[in-house]
Amino acid sequence: MDNIVPILNFCAAAFALGGILLLAVKRRIPTRLQTNFLFFGGGILFLVALLNFLEHTNLASSPDEGENFLITVFFPIFIFAIYSAVVKEEFENKKEIEDKTLRTNNLLNGMFEAIPILLILWDRQTQQLTINKEVEKRLGWEEEELKEIDLFNALLANSGDLERAREAARNFEGIWNEYPIKTKTGEIRTQRWTRLALDENISIGIGIDITEQKRINLSLQKERRRFELISKSANDVLYEWDLETDTVWWSQGWITSFGFKEEEVGDSFKWLRTIIHPEDFEDLDRHYDSIKDSNLNSWYHTYRIIGSDGDIIHVKDTGYFIRNDDGKAIELVGALENVTEEKHAKQLLQQSKERYETFFKKNPMPLIIFDEDSLSIIEANDALLQLYEYSQKELQKLTVYDLYEAEHWDKFQWLANKYRGIPSPRTEFKVRTKSNKVLNLEITTTPINYLNKEFRLAAVKDITKQREAEAKAFSSFVEGENKERSRLAREIHDGIIQYLAASKMNLTALKYKLDDFTDDEKELFENGVAYLKQAMNETRDISHNLMPPILEDYGLALAVKTLVEDFEKGSKIECNYFQNIEDISMPKENQINVYRITQECLNNILKHSEATSVSIQLIHDNSEFFLTVEDNGIGFDIDSDDYISGLGLSGIRSRVLSMGGYLDIDSKINQGSVFTIRLPLTTANKEVS
Amino acid sequence: MNPVHLLIADDHKIVRDGIRHLLKGQENLTIVGEAENGEEALRKIETEEINLTIMDINMPVMDGIEATRIIKKEFPAVKVLALTMVDENQYIRKMIEAGASGYVLKSCSKEDLIEAIEKVVSGHHYFSRDVTETILSDMVNPSLDTHTKKNEIQITNREMDVLRLIVNEYTNQEIAEELFVSIRTVDAHRRNLLQKIGAKNTAGLVKYALEKQLF
């Protein structure tokens, strides 16, 4: 027993020393080793302390034993106390480490779940499969579902990839492979996968979904190809100019559209400056600088360049500045367009405009352009404006209709329809100027293309004076004729007829001598008297036809009434006569004319119409006088030219013309006819009697 | 036969002479005087004893109608017999209105003239056959003078067509298109209607058509 104690003491001392050393270097020694060492050492020290105590209790009688006791009992207890402290610290350290590990694990788990990378964990030993959320999201499979199926078969879109994938999963650690992957819903996505072994059993599959990226790449490629295509085929020179380095990329336009040879085209704007027209530098630079140094981005300028064959080419340069964060222009992208032809066309247009100005605007013949459909007035020249007394502005508010007298509207319309798209013949119209002056115009129209639209050009000739002269001539002709007829009628009436009457009376006065005559002689006498009577009647009829005395004695209303009565008697055609003209006094000449026209109309009806009823009306209102002769006969076709000659209308027309009136004839086959004469009531013939 | 104191008024001397020759030898007939126009006839009637005037119509200065009117007013006892070349009923009517008792044409026979003188002097009327025909035909043709018969306005067929369309609110343009006539003709019809009916405007025409129940 005695020899054991020192050994134990020695051991205790050794452990104590080891414990102190351990405290100094413990971080370098595995924790488990430390813990084992400390528990083991603590046990030994406790045992030593117990044995020493028991021994000292037995040897308590010996005086030097007291010192021994201190050494053998308190020393190990002291050592143990230190041990306990060390061990306690060790335990606390260990807990801290475990917490840390837990946190790390949570972090890793969180990352595992949340990371936007597909992760599949495979434990070969436990046949355990773990997937993260990304896998569920991208592939649509739940973890539980994936466990039930064959992974490779389910996910690989091409069965041809099966072998390659299995091989890669077994052997090729860290090597990425791209597969078309089928999702649960059948959608095909592109993914890249690799495998990483964590230890002998556990391996992790890492997948990246590159479907979007692929798509973007594809569209980028298309974009690029499209741009290349455009830049090749476009007539413009597309350019991209790095302002920092003055390097420029041009498209093929210089060659295809501007006629340069490939080797002539430089790769800087310095080269461009060598071909810009010297006169255009200044403007171009100023404009360019003003945009470049502003905060504007778009820029466009037109200038001239000198082509490789020395020709002037007009260029329209449209560009866009790209600026850095400081707003400094670093790049200019844009296009140069060859606008030479456009420029030429514009110049030609300008020239033709100028020519048009002189030809159209200053033409002494009044000209007007109007829209055939809307009848709106597009433009009129100075001569026309002067004629109508309108300003261009005033005129453009009107329609063509407004320029005609209302009674010419249907004539105008008829012409417009008949000659649509082709030139119309010269036609006479009455028109009204701004100051209400009535003009006689001769108008020819022709379709023209003006400002790229179909319009109609009307050329106007003012024949007012001519017509006035003609009317004057007509009226003096008609007047002369009337006068001559009057004179003849009077001469017959006052001369021949009176002589005839007197002869007959004288002869008849001899009647008492008849008793002396033989029968033959009596017959001769009676025949002579009868012939004289007939001569009187016939001469009187001639005289009346030349100038009805009633017209001179009682005026138009009564004269026409008598005329109508005689007509009705002679023709057996039912007549209706209406007049309200007794309160106006018409010039004698006009009365004669209206009377003659009525007579002519009635003659026509008798000869041609087969009418059974005629209505004759002489009506006036505040402004005009109307003669209307309407029948219910067989009518005629107004549009055929034959009827005019057949009806002897020229006499009527010249009488109407001489009075400054209008003649309208409306008739249709089997619908009768209406003749209307319209005379303006001037102050001269509108005297209230 | 009552005694006749005759004045011959005619502007042609040869005619006056002719009448003189015709009436020469007639009993109870004295030709008191001659006149070249109405005015002269009036002067003679004033101064001479005259009970019958043979009166021409067409004469200068004053015509026979005017002279007859004055004679009948101033000297109602003096009869007037018209002897003239004109046979239009207007003249006949005017002459009768003025107060002439007879009307004979210059182409008449001697017997007719003498009969006329006798009838008129004895206070009757005389019209030669031609004249009677004219007056009669005027009387049997009452349709002519519509103006005097205000109550019965004659509307022509075309005017009726136009009026019907006006009542149906057609414009002139639309009426022209409907009836295939020119706007101006429609305008003339419309204005004729206004005048005949005495309407101020289209509304008046419509009112008239409705009142008369024309459609």
Side-chain angles (χ1 to χ4, degrees):
Chain A
M1 188 67 194
D2 279 350
N3 50 357
I4 263 182
V5 173
I7 293 168
L8 280 173
N9 279 338
F10 175 76
C11 283
F15 269 110
L17 187 66
I20 290 161
L21 275 171
L22 189 66
L23 280 173
V25 301
K26 66 175 177 175
R27 303 211 178 272
R28 294 185 191 163
I29 295 160
T31 314
R32 191 174 299 188
L33 225 59
Q34 285 179 41
T35 314
N36 289 345
F37 176 81
L38 288 173
F39 273 105
F40 195 59
I44 296 289
L45 286 173
F46 183 73
L47 205 56
V48 168
L50 190 67
L51 285 175
N52 283 346
F53 176 71
L54 288 174
E55 197 178 334
H56 281 285
T57 321
N58 294 337
L59 303 171
S61 51
S62 142
D64 57 322
E65 283 297 306
E67 196 182 331
N68 247 347
F69 180 79
L70 272 175
I71 293 166
T72 54
V73 176
F74 284 99
F75 177 68
I77 285 171
F78 173 71
I79 293 292
F80 182 73
I82 293 172
Y83 258 81
S84 301
V86 171
V87 166
K88 182 175 171 261
E89 193 194 321
E90 274 310 305
F91 269 114
E92 280 173 356
N93 273 348
K94 196 179 175 201
K95 193 167 180 290
E96 197 180 311
I97 285 163
E98 277 172 356
D99 283 352
K100 213 172 174 179
T101 312
L102 190 66
R103 279 204 303 277
T104 310
N105 278 349
N106 282 343
L107 184 68
L108 280 174
N109 273 333
M111 276 172 61
F112 181 78
E113 288 298 338
I115 196 165
I117 289 174
L118 300 100
L119 297 173
I120 299 177
L121 218 62
W122 173 245
D123 190 333
R124 201 190 321 176
Q125 204 166 31
T126 60
Q127 294 283 303
Q128 186 75 33
L129 181 89
T130 315
I131 62 170
N132 70 349
K133 285 235 170 54
E134 187 70 6
V135 176
E136 287 180 6
K137 191 173 125 198
R138 291 284 182 190
L139 300 179
W141 295 99
E142 302 279 329
E143 190 172 274
E144 296 307 311
E145 292 171 323
L146 275 183
K147 281 176 183 164
E148 304 296 317
I149 57 170
D150 179 37
L151 209 58
F152 288 103
N153 262 329
L155 297 184
L156 287 169
N158 298 342
S159 53
D161 288 334
L162 214 58
E163 272 315 303
R164 183 162 69 102
R166 284 191 205 285
E167 183 74 14
R170 273 198 298 275
N171 301 323
F172 303 111
E173 190 163 318
I175 293 174
W176 292 91
N177 279 304
E178 196 176 304
Y179 305 102
I181 300 291
K182 196 164 57 181
T183 68
K184 189 184 175 189
T185 55
E187 188 195 347
I188 307 293
R189 304 191 67 87
T190 310
Q191 292 175 350
R192 303 180 75 196
W193 283 92
T194 189
R195 166 187 166 272
L196 208 65
L198 292 185
D199 58 28
E200 281 179 0
N201 292 320
I202 299 173
S203 64
I204 183 164
I206 303 171
I208 302 170
D209 195 295
I210 55 167
T211 315
E212 298 304 320
Q213 199 185 331
K214 271 261 176 189
R215 196 172 296 152
I216 290 165
N217 274 344
L218 206 66
S219 63
L220 268 177
Q221 264 173 13
K222 273 188 193 162
E223 206 72 29
R224 194 178 303 135
R225 218 173 303 145
R226 208 175 293 148
F227 175 74
E228 279 167 7
L229 220 63
I230 288 167
S231 63
K232 257 184 214 155
S233 58
N235 289 330
D236 300 353
V237 175
L238 308 180
Y239 64 82
E240 190 179 354
W241 178 23
D242 188 333
L243 301 180
E244 314 269 271
T245 62
D246 186 28
T247 50
V248 69
W249 168 88
W250 311 107
S251 71
Q252 297 289 298
W254 283 122
I255 295 127
T256 56
S257 177
F258 286 73
F260 284 86
K261 292 191 186 70
E262 190 144 17
E263 62 269 19
E264 289 174 321
V265 181
D267 60 355
S268 70
F269 258 85
K270 280 198 188 101
W271 169 75
L272 179 64
R273 287 185 79 86
T274 64
I275 58 168
I276 288 177
H277 196 286
E279 287 173 19
D280 292 349
F281 269 138
E282 200 180 322
D283 246 16
L284 173 63
D285 285 348
R286 194 173 49 235
H287 190 195
Y288 169 81
D289 287 341
S290 73
I291 300 291
K292 184 186 164 201
D293 299 336
S294 74
N295 54 4
L296 298 172
N297 291 325
S298 292
W299 116 287
Y300 110 78
H301 196 76
T302 309
Y303 49 87
R304 288 167 292 173
I305 61 174
I306 297 159
S308 65
D309 51 4
D311 281 357
I312 301 285
I313 302 173
H314 291 267
V315 172
K316 183 179 169 187
D317 186 342
T318 313
Y320 190 86
F321 282 105
I322 294 167
R323 301 180 184 279
N324 66 11
D325 295 341
D326 304 330
K328 188 185 171 218
I330 53 168
E331 207 174 351
L332 178 66
V333 292
L336 301 174
E337 190 187 349
N338 185 344
V339 292
T340 313
E341 276 178 34
E342 202 177 303
K343 246 328 203 250
H344 272 250
K346 268 187 187 161
Q347 266 169 7
L348 280 176
L349 195 71
Q350 185 60 35
Q351 280 166 7
S352 83
K353 256 187 186 163
E354 277 158 15
R355 273 204 297 273
Y356 149 83
E357 277 285 317
T358 26
F359 177 76
F360 180 80
K361 292 297 271 183
K362 304 295 173 199
N363 198 310
M365 174 173 266
L367 298 169
I368 185 165
I369 296 171
F370 64 93
D371 185 341
E372 222 166 343
D373 299 317
S374 68
L375 296 178
S376 56
I377 293 164
I378 308 303
E379 194 139 26
N381 74 350
D382 298 347
L384 188 121
L385 295 173
Q386 200 181 354
L387 184 71
Y388 272 93
E389 303 162 11
Y390 284 115
S391 72
Q392 184 83 255
K393 224 179 190 176
E394 287 170 326
L395 198 70
Q396 270 163 354
K397 283 181 198 150
L398 305 176
T399 70
V400 180
Y401 267 137
D402 297 319
L403 299 181
Y404 289 100
E405 280 280 85
E407 61 244 30
H408 285 304
W409 286 355
D410 29 344
K411 183 174 167 188
F412 170 77
Q413 211 166 32
W414 181 78
L415 274 169
N417 286 335
K418 183 164 179 184
Y419 295 101
R420 203 175 175 78
I422 52 171
S424 69
R426 225 179 269 173
T427 314
E428 198 180 324
F429 287 101
K430 272 197 164 61
V431 305
R432 200 171 278 275
T433 68
K434 191 184 172 190
S435 65
N436 260 336
K437 210 159 72 191
V438 175
L439 300 176
N440 284 77
L441 301 184
E442 205 171 68
I443 299 175
T444 327
T445 68
T446 180
I448 56 155
N449 187 298
Y450 176 60
L451 302 174
N452 285 328
K453 236 197 122 203
E454 291 302 321
F455 289 118
R456 218 167 165 87
L457 171 75
V460 173
K461 191 177 162 199
D462 183 3
I463 53 165
T464 313
K465 291 226 161 64
Q466 189 184 329
R467 279 289 166 269
E468 273 169 10
E470 276 170 11
K472 226 177 217 166
F474 259 117
S475 87
S476 56
F477 169 74
V478 171
E479 203 176 311
E481 190 190 302
N482 287 341
K483 278 214 173 91
E484 186 57 20
R485 279 163 174 266
S486 271
R487 191 185 63 80
L488 267 177
R490 197 166 299 283
E491 259 175 27
I492 291 171
H493 187 267
D494 288 352
I496 298 171
I497 291 183
Q498 303 305 331
Y499 281 106
L500 286 172
S503 307
K504 187 171 163 278
M505 285 171 186
N506 286 349
L507 213 53
T508 319
L510 290 175
K511 233 178 172 180
Y512 67 97
K513 295 258 176 151
L514 281 189
D515 298 343
D516 304 342
F517 284 17
T518 64
D519 283 353
D520 283 352
E521 284 168 338
K522 271 183 200 163
E523 202 187 329
L524 279 175
F525 180 84
E526 294 294 349
N527 280 349
V529 171
Y531 292 157
L532 271 176
K533 185 178 176 180
Q534 197 170 339
M536 279 172 75
N537 285 338
E538 282 184 13
T539 318
R540 191 203 52 205
D541 286 348
I542 291 169
S543 159
H544 281 198
N545 275 338
L546 282 170
M547 186 55 59
I550 190 166
L551 186 60
E552 282 191 66
D553 293 342
Y554 297 110
L556 185 62
L558 212 53
V560 173
K561 184 165 182 257
T562 308
L563 180 68
V564 172
E565 283 167 2
D566 289 347
F567 177 75
E568 189 169 42
K569 248 183 278 172
S571 67
K572 307 294 176 213
I573 296 174
E574 187 198 344
C575 292
N576 285 296
Y577 174 62
F578 179 92
Q579 60 85 13
N580 73 346
I581 59 164
E582 275 163 338
D583 59 344
I584 57 167
S585 105
M586 199 184 276
K588 203 96 215 161
E589 281 306 318
N590 285 1
Q591 292 192 34
I592 295 171
N593 287 328
V594 173
Y595 181 88
R596 292 279 178 223
I597 291 166
T598 313
Q599 204 171 29
E600 189 63 40
C601 284
L602 290 176
N603 284 344
N604 282 336
I605 288 170
L606 187 60
K607 272 193 259 175
H608 305 289
S609 77
E610 299 174 28
T612 58
S613 162
V614 183
S615 157
I616 301 98
Q617 305 187 115
L618 303 175
I619 291 176
H620 82 91
D621 59 18
N622 286 332
S623 57
E624 281 176 307
F625 164 87
F626 299 93
L627 161 67
T628 321
V629 181
E630 180 181 329
D631 71 60
N632 66 346
I634 56 169
F636 47 84
D637 180 9
I638 314 174
D639 288 334
S640 102
D641 290 337
D642 313 340
Y643 84 101
I644 292 176
S645 52
L647 297 181
L649 286 181
S650 62
I652 294 179
R653 280 194 198 286
S654 54
R655 286 187 188 278
V656 172
L657 207 60
S658 77
M659 292 185 285
Y662 305 99
L663 168 67
D664 279 301
I665 304 165
D666 271 307
S667 183
K668 249 160 296 306
I669 300 295
N670 290 329
Q671 298 201 15
S673 63
V674 181
F675 276 70
T676 311
I677 311 294
R678 175 194 289 247
L679 301 181
L681 276 190
T682 62
T683 44
N685 56 12
K686 189 187 170 188
E687 294 159 13
V688 176
S689 63
Chain B
M1 179 159 146
N2 295 329
V4 179
H5 301 276
L6 182 66
L7 175 75
I8 302 171
D10 197 305
D11 53 338
H12 294 95
K13 186 167 186 309
I14 48 163
V15 175
R16 295 196 300 270
D17 289 348
I19 296 169
R20 245 179 216 282
H21 289 303
L22 263 184
L23 298 177
K24 198 189 279 174
Q26 281 295 317
E27 290 172 26
N28 281 334
L29 189 145
T30 322
I31 296 172
V32 179
E34 294 178 16
E36 282 190 355
N37 56 53
E39 216 174 70
E40 195 185 349
L42 282 174
R43 274 205 307 276
K44 290 264 163 78
I45 289 171
E46 207 171 351
T47 53
E48 315 271 341
E49 192 189 326
I50 291 165
N51 65 352
L52 176 68
T53 306
I54 286 181
M55 184 80 78
D56 190 13
I57 290 179
N58 286 313
M59 287 185 292
V61 186
M62 182 189 283
D63 69 15
I65 294 169
E66 182 67 17
T68 304
R69 192 174 293 123
I70 296 170
I71 291 169
K72 294 317 284 184
K73 197 176 156 205
E74 308 278 328
F75 317 98
V78 179
K79 309 287 184 201
V80 176
L81 172 63
L83 181 69
T84 170
M85 279 307 299
V86 286
D87 61 350
E88 276 103 345
N89 62 7
Q90 302 306 330
Y91 288 90
I92 299 169
R93 191 183 291 156
K94 294 269 179 196
M95 206 57 190
I96 294 168
E97 273 169 15
S101 304
Y103 199 109
V104 184
L105 296 180
K106 280 180 181 168
S107 54
C108 72
S109 64
K110 182 182 174 184
E111 291 75 20
D112 285 347
L113 182 61
I114 289 166
E115 195 192 345
I117 291 170
E118 282 173 356
K119 279 262 165 83
V120 167
V121 166
S122 56
H124 296 100
H125 288 271
Y126 182 89
F127 300 100
S128 67
R129 219 185 58 213
D130 318 3
V131 173
T132 311
E133 271 175 19
T134 305
I135 296 171
L136 279 178
S137 74
D138 190 24
M139 285 161 71
V140 296
N141 274 320
S143 67
L144 271 176
D145 201 1
T146 52
H147 185 50
T148 54
K149 284 174 278 169
K150 288 263 181 204
N151 295 336
E152 225 182 293
I153 295 165
Q154 292 282 333
I155 296 177
T156 71
N157 296 339
R158 290 296 180 91
E159 285 167 0
M160 205 61 121
D161 291 340
V162 171
L163 184 56
R164 181 172 51 244
L165 295 176
I166 288 174
V167 169
N168 287 319
E169 294 178 38
Y170 279 58
T171 63
N172 275 10
Q173 173 77 48
E174 287 164 348
I175 294 170
E177 281 164 16
E178 182 77 19
L179 299 180
F180 299 105
V181 298
S182 69
I183 294 181
R184 267 190 314 186
T185 303
V186 174
D187 179 53
H189 285 316
R190 179 195 287 267
R191 285 159 74 176
N192 283 350
L193 280 168
L194 285 171
Q195 291 303 318
K196 287 208 274 190
I197 289 167
K200 283 203 191 81
N201 49 36
T202 305
L205 295 183
V206 175
K207 190 176 156 218
Y208 175 85
L210 295 178
E211 274 173 6
K212 296 280 170 188
Q213 296 182 312
L214 292 177
F215 309 112

